[in-house]
Amino acid sequence: WLRTQQPALLHAHYASGYGTTAMLAGFHPMLLSVWGSDVYDFPYESRLKGWLLRRNLRAADALASTSQAMAQQVRRLWPQVGDITLTPFGVDMERFAPAPVPQGPGTIGTVKTLAPKYGIDTLLRAFASIASQVQAQLLVVGDGPQRTELQDLATTLGIAERVQWAGAVPHEMVFGAALAAEIGGIGVGCDICDTASVLAALDAARAAHGTARILMNIAGIGSAKRIVGRDGSPAPLEDF
């Protein structure tokens, strides 16, 4: 395909797998973008993988990284590397447009997998260092293998009451989670036509804030029936 189409540029993402493919293709010019595990994990899994990763980096005509930290990691792997272009992730400016500064306590937030490589522990320590000087809360959106450890760290640092753990949130709900945090709540998404989805959302809300009283005004339902039984249990959503 490369021989017949002769593109102006070959852009390979991930310096490990696809970087290897691009290196073996021998096509130039070739831009190689690093993404994370390809430079943080892959080269340390074996000497062979480390050698291969460095070879892929050297084969590229230009390198790009989505963060300064990853660019520094590339320099650790290949000290002789030249320029590395920073290409930060884009932002939906309509959904995440700057808003007026809210009155009262603000929110500092992060959306990331709770794993060691992402430095959430560093964020917690940084927040703890300024907690006594600012009126703010910390919102952590995401889940992962380090969640319990990070929650224990927040307790040790004395900031547990000012940290909200929203858990894994679908992309379309991230903005909702941020808005909810402004009023001391959490954002949860669900399919209102699916009982399991609704119950999971309610369980998440109850775990964060205790049992809730919910007022519902429902019109246009398919059948006349009690929404809640005498024992307090809800009728199956599928019935409506």
Side-chain angles (χ1 to χ4, degrees), residues 1-11 21-30:
W1 186 89
L2 290 173
R3 294 191 186 94
T4 58
Q5 298 299 318
Q6 287 295 308
L9 174 71
L10 174 61
H11 187 184
T21 301
M23 180 272 293
L24 293 174
F27 185 88
H28 296 279
M30 190 262 280

Side-chain angles (χ1 to χ4, degrees), residues 105-192:
T107 299
I108 299 172
T110 182
V111 182
K112 206 64 181 176
T113 300
L114 307 186
K117 72 178 68 175
Y118 298 121
I120 307 300
D121 58 325
T122 301
L123 175 62
L124 291 173
R125 291 188 174 91
F127 182 76
S129 71
I130 64 169
S132 63
Q133 307 169 38
V134 297
Q135 288 188 329
Q137 61 180 345
L138 181 60
L139 173 64
V140 181
V141 179
D143 209 342
Q146 207 181 14
R147 177 166 182 155
T148 300
E149 177 184 339
L150 292 171
Q151 290 177 322
D152 290 343
L153 176 60
T155 300
T156 301
L157 294 171
I159 58 173
E161 294 184 355
R162 295 175 65 177
V163 180
Q164 289 194 45
W165 305 90
V169 174
H171 176 72
E172 62 273 13
M173 279 296 302
V174 170
F175 186 58
L179 291 178
E182 295 293 342
I183 59 172
I186 64 169
V188 292
C190 68
D191 179 353
I192 61 171

Side-chain angles (χ1 to χ4, degrees), residues 83-99:
D83 293 335
I84 301 175
T85 301
L86 294 183
T87 54
F89 288 111
V91 175
D92 184 337
M93 295 301 293
E94 293 185 2
R95 180 181 291 269
F96 297 101

Side-chain angles (χ1 to χ4, degrees), residues 22-39:
M23 180 272 293
L24 293 174
F27 185 88
H28 296 279
M30 190 262 280
L31 169 63
L32 181 59
S33 287
V34 298
W35 278 85
S37 61
D38 51 344
V39 293

Side-chain angles (χ1 to χ4, degrees), residues 41-54 77:
D41 301 334
F42 182 82
Y44 300 104
E45 292 174 358
S46 71
R47 294 182 63 181
L48 176 60
K49 289 184 177 181
W51 170 84
L52 180 60
L53 192 285
R54 291 176 177 84
L77 294 167

